Amino acid sequence: MSNDPTEKKRFGWLRSKDKAAEVETAAAAEPVEQPVAEIVAPLETSDAPEPVAPKKRSFFQRLKSGLARSSSSLSEGITGIFTKAKLDARTLEELEDLLIMTDLGVETVTGITAKLAKDRFDKEISSQEIKQFVADEITRVLDPLAKPFEVNPSYKPHVVLMVGVNGTGKTTTLGKMAAREIASGHKVMIAACDTFRAAATEQLKVWGERAGAPVISAAPGADAAGLAFDALKQARDESVDVLFIDTAGRLQNKTELMAELEKIIRVIKKQDETAPHSVLLVLDATTGQNALSQVEVFKAVTDVSGLVMTKLDGTARGGILVAVAAKYGLPLHAIGVGEDIDDFQPFEAAAFSAALVGLDGLDGGINLDAIEVSV
Amino acid sequence: MFETLSDRLNGVLNALTRRGSLSEADVAAALREVRVALLEADVALPVVKTFVDAVRERAVGAEVLRSVQPGQMVIKIVHDELVQMLGGEIDPAQPLLNLNVAPPAVVLMAGLQGSGKTTSTAKLGLRLTKRENKKVLMASLDVRRPAAQEQLRILGADTGVATLPVIEGQMPVTIARRAVEAAKLGGYDIVILDTAGRVTVDEALMQEVADVAAETNPVETLLVADSLTGQDAVKTAEAFNARLNLTGIVLTRADGDGRGGAALSMRQVTGAPIKFLGVGEKMDAIEAFDASRIANRILDMGDVVSLVEKAAESIDVEKAEKIAAKMKKGTFDLEDLAEQLRQMRRLGGMKSIMGMLPGMGKMKKQAGGLDMDDKVLIHQEAIISSMTPDERARPKLLNASRKKRIAKGAGVQVQDVNKLIKMHRQMADMMKKMGKSGMKGLFGGAGGAMPDMGALQGMDPQNALGQMPDLSKLTGPAGGLPKGMGGLPGLGGPGLPGLPGTKKK
C-alpha cells in the first residue's frame, strides 16, 4: 500500500464520490509512481529567491514531467478499472467517465468507447491494452495535424498574428516563439498590438529583451490596427524575416472586439495581400468545451492557420484538443509547458496522447508492466 | 454564460412538462440527457453524478409521480438542486465579504495563470471603494510575470484606487508584509493582495502563497477562476483549497459564451461560495453572485432581480422620477425619450437587458440568432440630438424638410427618423392610457410594476414567436424599440425594488 501523500491529494476529490470508490482502491493498491516533479518545498521559505529548482533537467524531460503530471490520475484510473477484467457495460461506462475527465468531450469519448466495445466487448482485456487502444485512437486523429511552426523565407517578413481569448498565454507564447526564431537565425520583430490591457506592452518588452528582438509599441489605447500597419512597414523596410503581432485577448462572443481583429487583418493586407501568413490561435489547456466555440469563431473571423496549446504543465490534460482537431482539422504547432523562455515544444501526437492516457512511463515513476504483474 | 446549458436543459425538461403522467423510465431518460448536458457544459463529473443522483432520488420518489403536474415538479427539483449545487440561497443579511475586523482587512487573491487575478483585484478594489466607501490599498505580489506589478499600478491609477509602490527585487512575502504595514500607517480599511498565477503542481509556488497567507492572515482568500475552465476546475479548486483556507471564489469571464460548468463544480468541491462574477472588460464589470438567480437563468426563468438591481444602481432616480411624473401628465416628450435611451445604455444595452428577462433565451433562439444591436440606441439618441429643443418638446413641428435635416444631422435615413417619431408617439399614447387606468399604483410607493415587462413575463413561451416582429425591428439601423422595453428605464422611481419577478408565468 502506498501512502504517497501526493497521490492522496490527487484523488481526494474522487474519494468523496461513491462511484469512484473501486477506482480509487485499485489505484491506491498499486506501488505508485514517485513523481520526480514534485519537488519538496523548502521548509523555511520566508524570502527564498524564486525556487525554480529543476533548471538543469533537459527540455524534453520537463515536457514529459509536465505532461505526465497531468495524465497520471487518468492512467491510474484506467489501470484500476481494467486490470484483467472482462470488458462489460459497467467498465465501459467507467472508462467513459475517466476519459470525460480529460476534457475530451462526450462525443469524442463515446466514439472511442463504442469502437472499443465493438472490437473487444466481453473479452479479457488488460489496462495496458486499453490504454494502448485509447492512445492509438487519439494519435490517429492528431498525428496528421502535428506540424511544427515554420517560417517561410520567401515572405519578407513572414507575418504571424497571435489571437485568442484573454489569459490563454498569447504574450508568453509569442515571447517563447520569438526566442526560438532568433535562435534559429531569423531576424525577428515584435508588434505589441495589445493596446488595451494595462501593461501588456511592458510585458512584451521584457520578452523582447529576453529574446533579443525589437518591440514596436504605441501609447495605451492606441489603435491596434494602425500600430500593426506601422510595424509591418518598418519590418519590410528593415527586411525582417518574421514579424510577430500580439493582439489583445478577446472573448469570441464579443462581436465588436472580433470586428477589431478583422480590422487589424484588413489593414495588414493593405501592404501585403498575402499577410498575415500565419494566424495562431492560443488555447489554454484548462479550458473545457468552450475551446470548440473559440476555434469556430476565431477561425471564421481570422482564418486561423494553426493552434498552440498552453499551460500543459498544470493538472489540466488538454483533452479538448482532440475534439478540436477532429472537428476543425487545424494544424497543431506547439505546446507550452511552463513560464521559461524555452518551455515550448513542437506538438507530437504520439507523445501527447501517450501522456494523456499515461502510457509514456518516461517520468521515472510510472511503469505499467510492473504494476500489472504485482496486482 | 449558461445559455447553451439552458437550451439543452429546457429541451429535455420541456419534453417532460407536456406529459400528463411520468413513469420512472421517463425520468431516467430525461436524467441521462441532463447528465450529458451538464458534462458538455464542463460540469465536473463527480459533481454531475452527485447532482443526477440527488435529482433522481427526489424525482422518482412519491413527490413527483403523484403530483398534479409531474413535469413541472421535476423542473422544480432540478431548479432546487441547481441552487443547492451553486451554493444555496444567499442570506441578504450576510455581507459578501467579511471585512468586519480591525483594519486593515486583508483580501488575498489566488489562482492559475491567466485566470484574471489582476483585473479582478482592480475591479474589487474599485467596487469596495465605490459601493462600501472603503479605503483600499492594492498590492501586486506577482514578481514572475513580466510587468504584472506595473499592470496593477496602471489599473489602480485608472480607477483611483491606491496601489503599493513597487520596489524592484522584493519577494512576495516581503511585499505582503510591507503592504499590511503601509495600510496600517496610511489608515486603509482593506488591503487586496494580488498574487502570481501558479500551477497547482508547482510545490514551491504553492508554498509561497501559503506563506503569504500565514504572514498576513487574510480575512478573505478568494480563488480567481476562469468560467471557461473544463474538468480541471475541481482539481484546481481542491489544490488551492488544500493550501489556502479559501473563503470564496471569483468567477471570471462570465460574459463569455462558456456554459458555466466550472461555476457549478467549484462550490461543490471547495465548499467555498462563489462570491463574484467578472462580467466584462470594464473596471465596473463585477457582480455579486446569487445562486438562485443563476439557477433561474440556467432554466430560463429570467433574472429580473439582477436587472432591477442594476437599474437601481445605474438609473438616475431623480431624472426617472421626473419622467414618471411627465408620463403621468401625458407630456412625455422626445427629450424624455432621449433620457430613457441614455439610461437604457447605462444598463448595459439591449443584450444585457434581454438576457435577464424570462423566456428571452428561447425568443432569441427562435428569432434565429437575432443580434441585439446597441447601435440602435445610439442612433436613436443621435436623431434626437439633431433636433432643436423646440422640436424635441413638440414633435408635431416635424415636417418633411425638418426630418430631412435631422436625418442628415444624425447620419441616418429619413425613415429612421419616422420610425423614432412613431415609436415615441406609441409610447406617449400608451403612457397616457396607463395614466388614466391605475397609473397611480404603478409609480407610487411600493407597488412599482412595469406594465410592459409584466406582459413580457406572462407571455407563454409557445407564443413568443408571435412577438418577434417587434423585436426584429431592432436589427435595423434605427428600428423601434420593442414596445415592452420602451418604458423600462424610466420607471426607476421609488418603487423599483418591488418589481415583478415574483409574478411568474
Side-chain angles (χ1 to χ4, degrees):
Chain A
M1 266 291 208
S2 154
N3 280 322
D4 184 349
T6 58
E7 183 223 335
K8 260 202 189 128
K9 217 180 292 155
R10 217 176 268 138
F11 276 92
W13 60 278
L14 268 181
R15 193 156 275 163
S16 58
K17 308 292 174 272
D18 48 355
K19 274 262 172 124
E22 55 273 276
V23 176
E24 167 237 313
T25 33
E30 287 148 20
V32 172
E33 47 165 330
Q34 305 287 332
V36 252
E38 317 268 356
I39 314 287
V40 180
L43 283 173
E44 66 289 58
T45 33
S46 54
D47 243 11
E50 272 179 46
V52 191
K55 270 267 193 262
K56 268 165 265 142
R57 286 188 301 153
S58 82
F59 175 58
F60 185 66
Q61 281 170 328
R62 250 180 301 145
L63 162 69
K64 287 295 176 195
S65 71
L67 279 176
R69 266 189 240 130
S70 56
S71 65
S72 47
S73 56
L74 170 64
S75 166
E76 285 159 19
I78 294 183
T79 314
I81 302 173
F82 287 106
T83 308
K84 293 295 164 200
K86 261 192 183 166
L87 187 62
D88 58 17
R90 199 182 64 86
T91 35
L92 267 177
E93 197 180 299
E94 288 192 0
L95 173 67
E96 230 167 64
D97 287 353
L98 283 162
L99 291 177
I100 278 171
M101 283 194 280
T102 64
D103 284 321
L104 279 170
V106 177
E107 211 183 310
T108 317
V109 169
T110 18
I112 292 175
T113 48
K115 209 161 169 205
L116 180 68
K118 204 173 137 225
D119 289 2
R120 312 291 299 267
F121 197 75
D122 221 15
K123 291 177 190 148
E124 288 270 310
I125 191 161
S126 75
S127 67
Q128 183 66 23
E129 286 170 295
I130 213 95
K131 282 184 201 174
Q132 193 62 57
F133 182 90
V134 176
D136 287 350
E137 278 302 302
I138 295 173
T139 309
R140 203 173 47 77
V141 177
L142 297 180
D143 200 42
L145 300 170
K147 289 179 193 129
F149 174 76
E150 268 169 26
V151 172
N152 184 335
S154 67
Y155 303 126
K156 280 280 177 180
H158 183 123
V159 180
V160 183
L161 191 67
M162 309 294 291
V163 299
V165 167
N166 321 53
T168 54
K170 285 177 295 302
T171 307
T172 307
T173 303
L174 190 155
K176 295 176 191 171
M177 287 185 74
R180 259 175 82 85
E181 292 312 324
I182 286 176
S184 57
H186 289 115
K187 191 173 173 190
V188 173
M189 187 180 274
I190 298 171
C193 290
D194 181 354
T195 52
F196 179 79
R197 205 196 71 206
T201 304
E202 284 81 352
Q203 185 184 353
L204 199 55
K205 277 184 178 159
V206 173
W207 277 109
E209 232 165 76
R210 286 182 193 171
V215 177
I216 312 298
S217 61
D223 177 36
L227 176 58
F229 186 88
D230 294 343
L232 179 54
K233 188 159 183 298
Q234 193 172 337
R236 282 159 73 106
D237 290 348
E238 296 178 18
S239 61
V240 158
D241 298 312
V242 204
L243 171 66
F244 287 103
I245 301 178
D246 192 21
T247 63
R250 62 202 76 224
L251 288 169
Q252 73 274 17
N253 62 336
K254 306 267 164 172
T255 357
E256 66 281 6
L257 294 180
M258 294 309 282
E260 182 194 276
L261 201 52
E262 252 176 331
K263 184 181 167 195
I264 294 179
I265 293 176
R266 217 163 46 232
V267 166
I268 292 173
K269 283 198 188 300
K270 281 188 181 162
Q271 285 185 63
D272 184 349
E273 190 50 45
T274 61
H277 308 101
S278 305
V279 179
L280 303 188
L281 175 61
V282 180
L283 293 176
D284 181 335
T286 58
T287 305
Q289 303 303 307
N290 190 251
L292 284 167
S293 151
Q294 292 176 19
V295 174
E296 182 174 335
V297 179
F298 274 100
K299 191 167 181 282
V301 173
T302 65
D303 200 11
V304 171
S305 67
L307 303 175
V308 176
M309 179 158 262
T310 60
K311 305 188 201 172
L312 274 168
D313 51 331
T315 47
R317 297 119 177 206
I320 188 61
L321 200 58
V322 181
V324 166
K327 189 159 180 195
Y328 296 100
L330 285 168
L332 309 169
H333 289 317
I335 57 174
V337 288
E339 285 183 292
D340 288 338
I341 201 157
D342 52 353
D343 285 337
F344 186 79
Q345 170 80 0
F347 185 85
E348 280 175 51
F352 180 86
S353 42
L356 193 71
V357 298
L359 261 182
D360 53 329
L362 286 170
D363 203 16
I366 311 170
N367 186 341
L368 295 166
D369 298 326
I371 289 170
E372 258 160 63
V373 174
S374 75
V375 166
Chain B
M1 191 163 68
F2 299 123
E3 261 159 40
T4 328
L5 176 58
S6 163
D7 287 348
R8 282 291 299 266
L9 284 183
N10 282 310
V12 175
L13 297 174
N14 275 347
L16 283 187
T17 356
R18 285 193 215 104
R19 315 180 73 125
S21 64
L22 286 183
S23 70
E24 213 161 299
D26 293 334
V27 175
L31 284 179
R32 263 197 302 280
E33 294 285 317
V34 169
R35 179 180 183 273
V36 174
L38 291 173
L39 283 174
E40 283 183 346
D42 288 325
V43 182
L45 185 67
V47 179
V48 173
K49 285 184 169 172
T50 318
F51 177 79
V52 171
D53 288 349
V55 174
R56 179 181 295 123
E57 200 171 297
R58 288 182 58 188
V60 172
E63 198 181 338
V64 169
L65 300 179
R66 285 192 208 137
S67 66
V68 190
Q69 285 182 301
Q72 292 287 1
M73 197 66 205
V74 171
I75 292 180
K76 186 186 176 303
I77 292 172
V78 170
H79 175 259
D80 290 352
E81 289 297 328
L82 270 177
V83 173
Q84 202 54 44
M85 179 156 69
L86 286 162
E89 310 272 353
I90 277 189
D91 179 359
Q94 284 288 323
L96 220 44
L97 292 179
N98 166 29
L99 301 168
N100 204 5
V101 293
V106 178
V107 179
L108 183 69
M109 313 284 280
L112 299 179
Q113 288 100 336
S115 55
K117 285 174 299 301
T118 306
T119 307
S120 299
T121 301
K123 284 178 177 177
L124 198 58
L126 180 65
R127 184 185 161 102
L128 291 171
T129 308
K130 217 173 85 178
R131 289 176 56 130
E132 320 221 345
N133 271 326
K134 298 284 185 190
K135 200 172 165 200
V136 180
L137 177 70
M138 306 189 291
S140 168
L141 314 185
D142 187 349
V143 295
R144 292 171 57 88
R145 186 165 59 96
Q149 291 176 301
E150 175 67 7
Q151 185 185 352
L152 189 65
R153 190 193 64 74
I154 294 175
L155 291 175
D158 287 352
T159 53
V161 178
T163 49
L164 187 74
V166 176
I167 297 180
E168 288 294 328
Q170 268 193 349
M171 295 309 292
V173 177
T174 319
I175 303 174
R177 207 179 296 140
R178 185 158 64 87
V180 175
E181 266 321 297
K184 271 183 198 154
L185 292 174
Y188 287 93
D189 303 312
I190 299 167
V191 184
I192 309 181
L193 300 175
D194 174 26
T195 63
R198 59 203 75 223
V199 289
T200 54
V201 287
D202 191 327
E203 186 50 44
L205 274 177
M206 291 303 281
Q207 184 59 43
E208 178 199 277
V209 75
D211 289 343
V212 169
E215 174 71 33
T216 56
N217 193 21
V219 287
E220 291 281 349
T221 305
L222 303 179
L223 175 66
V224 182
D226 184 345
S227 57
L228 307 179
T229 311
Q231 298 285 329
D232 189 52
V234 282
K235 270 176 283 167
T236 297
E238 267 245 322
F240 275 103
N241 203 29
R243 303 303 288 260
L244 298 166
N245 185 16
L246 294 183
T247 59
I249 294 166
V250 181
L251 209 56
T252 60
R253 296 198 253 291
D255 53 331
D257 62 356
R259 303 179 199 173
L264 300 172
S265 314
M266 285 194 163
R267 152 83 206 198
Q268 186 95 346
V269 172
T270 59
I274 298 168
K275 293 198 168 172
F276 296 101
L277 292 180
V279 290
E281 307 236 359
K282 288 191 193 136
M283 278 301 122
D284 58 355
I286 187 167
E287 281 177 3
F289 179 88
D290 182 331
S292 113
R293 281 189 224 164
I294 297 290
N296 279 342
R297 222 187 291 183
I298 291 174
L299 295 176
D300 203 12
M301 293 172 171
D303 190 6
V304 177
V305 190
S306 259
L307 179 60
V308 169
E309 199 177 67
K310 208 167 173 191
E313 210 177 284
S314 26
I315 281 178
D316 188 328
V317 178
E318 234 169 78
K319 277 186 193 157
E321 272 174 3
K322 231 188 255 168
I323 293 179
K326 279 189 163 176
M327 285 179 182
K328 235 193 267 186
K329 273 190 269 166
T331 55
F332 175 77
D333 65 18
L334 281 162
E335 191 64 65
D336 302 325
L337 178 60
E339 181 52 39
Q340 281 212 320
L341 293 172
R342 272 192 288 276
Q343 301 220 340
M344 198 132 156
R345 261 202 298 149
R346 235 171 284 149
L347 276 177
M350 281 301 204
K351 236 188 255 175
S352 117
I353 296 173
M354 299 298 273
M356 287 187 253
L357 289 174
M360 277 300 168
K362 220 170 282 175
M363 278 173 72
K364 259 195 254 174
K365 190 101 197 164
Q366 280 161 336
L370 174 70
D371 203 7
M372 303 285 162
D373 195 351
D374 285 329
K375 280 206 176 122
V376 174
L377 297 181
I378 299 169
H379 284 175
Q380 289 180 330
E381 246 189 275
I383 294 174
I384 298 177
S385 304
S386 304
M387 298 176 182
T388 65
D390 235 15
E391 286 165 349
R392 282 178 226 170
R394 287 184 297 160
K396 275 185 193 141
L397 283 178
L398 294 168
N399 57 24
S401 77
R402 280 178 191 253
K403 281 181 194 165
K404 231 160 125 188
R405 190 204 78 234
I406 291 163
K408 234 182 207 169
V412 296
Q413 302 295 312
V414 174
Q415 60 254 43
D416 297 328
V417 179
N418 283 332
K419 267 187 216 158
L420 177 93
I421 296 169
K422 191 175 166 202
M423 180 180 91
H424 167 255
R425 201 171 50 229
Q426 283 174 342
M427 278 173 72
D429 285 353
M430 196 171 63
M431 310 269 172
K432 233 183 272 171
K433 238 183 268 163
M434 287 190 332
K436 278 174 199 147
S437 61
M439 193 66 180
K440 246 187 194 162
L442 286 175
F443 289 103
M450 290 185 241
D452 303 305
M453 292 266 299
L456 269 177
Q457 225 182 0
M459 192 161 55
D460 181 352
Q462 254 70 37
N463 295 335
L465 207 52
Q467 302 277 333
M468 286 326 292
D470 272 341
L471 275 177
S472 58
K473 273 191 214 153
L474 281 172
T475 46
L481 291 164
K483 285 168 199 156
M485 307 298 302
L488 202 150
L491 293 156
L496 246 182
L499 281 178
T502 45
K503 294 193 289 180
K504 274 265 353 147
K505 54 189 164 185

